[in-house]
Amino acid sequence: MDMQRTEEQQLIIDTVRKFIREEIRPLEADLDPDAYELNPEDDERLRAMVKEMGMYQMGLPVEYGGPGVDIVTRTMLAEEMSQHRAGLYAPAYGAFGSSPPEHLYKGTDEQKEKYLYPVIRGEKHAFFGLSEPSGGSDPARSIRTRGVRDGDSWVINGGKLWNSGADTADFGIVYVRTDPTKGRQGITAFLVDTDTPGFRVQRLVQVLRSHYTTELSFTDMRIPHSQILGEEGGGFALANDTLAHNRIPYASACLGIAVYAQELAIEWAKQRVTFGEPLANRQAIQWMLVDNEIDMRTSRWIALDAAARAQRGESFRFESSMAKLLCTEAAGRVIDRCMQIHGGLGMAKDMPFERWYREVRIRRIGEGTSEIQRVVMARDLLNVRSGS
Amino acid sequence: MRIRKDWSSWDPGMSFKTLPGAMGIYEIADEQKNCIYISYAGGASPYGLRGELYAIFGMPAGADKWNWSHPHPESIPAEVKQRAKYYRYEVTHNYYSRWIEDLTRFSEDYETLPELNKLATAPRAPHLGRYHWKSEGI
């Protein structure tokens, strides 16, 4: 694979890098240590600036009015955009805009009018409802939320867990078991408005990071048949396809905080003197810095390889799982070493390490645990599939 | 340090989505902008800072149609609800240590706890040290 960036890629990357360093990082000095939003006036100003630069919603396909930046470039950009304190979960605090959930491109024209275009315009927000208290790693078996057809509608009962953003979303893509006899072919995706009677945000679930997820309950929630996304029984395939795609930039974003942490650690190692010599002269520190570099470069290669395969239309499920596994775990090791190099300062809220340490730990679980990624890869290696 | 933000007045017409559901600490002020209560939205808070602030200032008309509601609004002392006019908050994962820090700072500045933190119905303030931190320009 050619790792050389094209001229266009380099230009976009340089622009984003400058933006993060000159516009985003200085603002963080005045924000709460765990903040995940900018002040409204800064948010508005930066979004306007990004739009002016023609870099808003870069992943949006050309046919929907976006620049249609390819997945390889987006993978590179995910690494750039996360290089600040809040970068892992709030890259550039959303100044570059977010693209709609890919599922929505597969909706009907009516569904696109009602959901996709408002999301593109920033008028509506979506959440993703797959995991349940009964489990998330094996949705084919663990989805117990049940939909029963009643005329032109479905009556849905059950609940979801770990739904980020559901409390502020306008609608969600909710996976429901519509035929208990058909295993993974019995799962259907529904577009569910959050003001539907019977839809309740049961509680906000606080986790390691300052942002939270939600627990939802559905009680006799009546959803029209026309709200099915894709085909009845086609929900699992829809989810699987999107999850594999999302794993690549998700993985790459982890490298961004690792890159920034390494920069800070190198700078600190050069200036911090112990026993009469800078830390940078100590072999123990040098080895940590080198191990960081090895972790980052190998993971980056794997993430870009997965992205390149996806872009060429080749099978990339194995590679995207490997990228997710490697990048999340490598970033965890890098952050841990950088904290160690900084000593007490590494634990303080004055520095971003403690936040990254907590947040990057979640990445080994979110979007499929490390163990599930290994299961996915093993299935491909052994050419076996479990489940119905 | 104290919360470094201006006081916000409560706007019943705002979208609840503008308040974070995250963990954090908050200060409540009376009509004269005197801080009268300092508390937090912790890991067990059902709707984070958003839920706590709505429990204090009250749910607006039409909130019965929202898809959430604080299950224990009575956990907030009635005096806080009656006198609350302004608020400010800080999103932080370290809500408990920041709560102690903010109370300590207040206590150093004014040689007492915020008025409504002394109520028997308020969450019991932890033992506070003395750090001679007096704030500048309080």
Side-chain angles (χ1 to χ4, degrees), chain A residues 45-354:
Chain A
R45 179 176 59 82
L46 294 180
R47 279 177 198 268
M49 191 187 279
V50 169
K51 284 176 184 170
E52 182 73 28
M53 288 152 56
M55 300 181 84
Y56 198 69
Q57 293 179 315
M58 281 188 277
L60 193 63
V62 175
E63 59 267 37
Y64 294 102
V69 171
D70 61 80
I71 189 166
V72 173
T73 312
R74 276 190 283 134
T75 301
M76 294 171 177
L77 288 174
E79 184 182 326
E80 292 299 329
M81 285 186 196
S82 61
Q83 292 184 29
H84 60 99
R85 188 174 65 198
L88 189 56
Y89 280 95
Y93 292 94
F96 288 89
S98 55
S99 297
E102 287 184 30
H103 309 61
L104 293 181
Y105 298 129
K106 295 174 181 163
T108 62
D109 288 345
E110 289 76 21
Q111 289 170 345
K112 286 179 183 173
E113 283 297 330
K114 190 175 175 189
Y115 298 106
L116 175 64
Y117 301 126
V119 169
I120 292 172
R121 293 192 296 268
E123 295 161 4
K124 282 190 176 180
H125 296 94
F127 76 88
F128 186 69
L130 182 66
S131 295
E132 300 193 3
S134 51
S137 292
D138 179 18
R141 291 181 183 82
S142 62
I143 289 179
R144 293 183 186 166
T145 293
R146 185 81 170 90
V148 176
R149 182 86 186 251
D150 181 23
D152 278 345
S153 318
W154 289 81
V155 178
I156 296 175
N157 281 284
K160 295 286 170 183
L161 190 60
W162 315 124
N163 317 107
S164 296
D167 58 316
T168 52
D170 301 284
F171 70 97
I173 298 164
V174 175
Y175 292 83
V176 175
R177 188 170 297 283
T178 47
D179 187 340
T181 65
K182 288 189 177 168
R184 60 180 59 174
Q185 277 78 42
I187 294 168
T188 302
F190 286 85
L191 290 158
V192 174
D193 293 316
T194 55
D195 59 0
T196 304
F199 180 103
R200 187 169 172 80
V201 180
Q202 201 63 26
R203 65 183 177 120
L204 306 184
V205 185
Q206 306 293 347
V207 293
L208 264 178
R209 64 189 179 111
S210 64
H211 208 278
Y212 48 87
T213 66
T214 63
E215 181 173 353
L216 308 174
S217 66
F218 313 135
T219 309
D220 294 333
M221 194 169 65
R222 188 169 282 273
I223 306 293
H225 184 76
S226 58
Q227 295 289 93
I228 287 179
L229 185 59
E231 292 175 6
E232 184 182 333
F236 186 81
L238 194 69
N240 234 6
D241 188 38
T242 308
L243 285 172
H245 259 100
N246 287 348
R247 273 177 200 139
I248 305 172
Y250 186 91
S252 193
C254 297
L255 291 179
I257 57 164
V259 168
Y260 188 21
Q262 173 82 331
E263 270 178 34
L264 292 170
I266 289 173
E267 197 180 309
W268 180 248
K270 285 179 178 171
Q271 63 171 262
R272 180 65 160 181
V273 174
T274 59
F275 305 103
E277 280 202 70
L279 284 180
N281 290 358
R282 310 276 175 206
Q283 192 180 49
I285 302 297
Q286 291 170 356
W287 285 19
M288 282 196 249
L289 293 171
V290 169
D291 287 347
N292 284 349
E293 208 60 35
I294 293 168
D295 268 334
M296 291 188 298
R297 292 190 192 203
T298 48
S299 313
R300 182 181 296 128
W301 177 276
I302 297 299
L304 287 173
D305 178 49
R309 282 173 172 271
Q311 191 156 307
R312 291 195 298 265
E314 296 172 10
S315 162
F316 64 96
R317 198 173 64 152
F318 184 97
E319 287 74 16
S320 73
S321 281
M322 184 155 60
K324 198 275 179 185
L325 172 68
L326 274 177
C327 291
T328 54
E329 299 207 342
R333 290 191 295 271
V334 171
I335 302 299
D336 185 72
R337 291 188 198 108
C338 292
M339 276 182 97
Q340 195 70 15
I341 290 168
H342 276 79
L345 198 54
M347 300 182 292
K349 285 265 186 199
D350 305 28
M351 300 294 284
F353 301 108
E354 65 81 31

Side-chain angles (χ1 to χ4, degrees), chain A residues 29-30 32-36 167-170 194 199-204 206-212 349 358, chain B residues 4-5 16-23 42-48 50 66-69 89-94:
Chain A
D30 289 326
D32 296 340
D34 276 27
Y36 44 82
D167 58 316
T168 52
D170 301 284
T194 55
F199 180 103
R200 187 169 172 80
V201 180
Q202 201 63 26
R203 65 183 177 120
L204 306 184
Q206 306 293 347
V207 293
L208 264 178
R209 64 189 179 111
S210 64
H211 208 278
Y212 48 87
K349 285 265 186 199
R358 286 182 282 116
Chain B
R4 294 185 302 170
K5 282 179 182 163
F16 69 77
K17 297 174 184 179
T18 58
L19 292 173
M23 299 179 282
S45 172
Y47 297 97
R50 177 189 305 155
W66 290 359
N67 60 25
W68 68 278
S69 61
Y89 61 79
E90 175 186 307
V91 171
T92 175
H93 193 265
N94 294 6

Side-chain angles (χ1 to χ4, degrees), chain B residues 25-39:
Chain B
I25 57 170
Y26 61 88
E27 295 181 353
I28 299 296
D30 62 12
E31 201 135 22
Q32 288 74 43
K33 295 191 177 175
N34 296 314
C35 176
I36 53 172
Y37 188 63
I38 299 175
S39 193

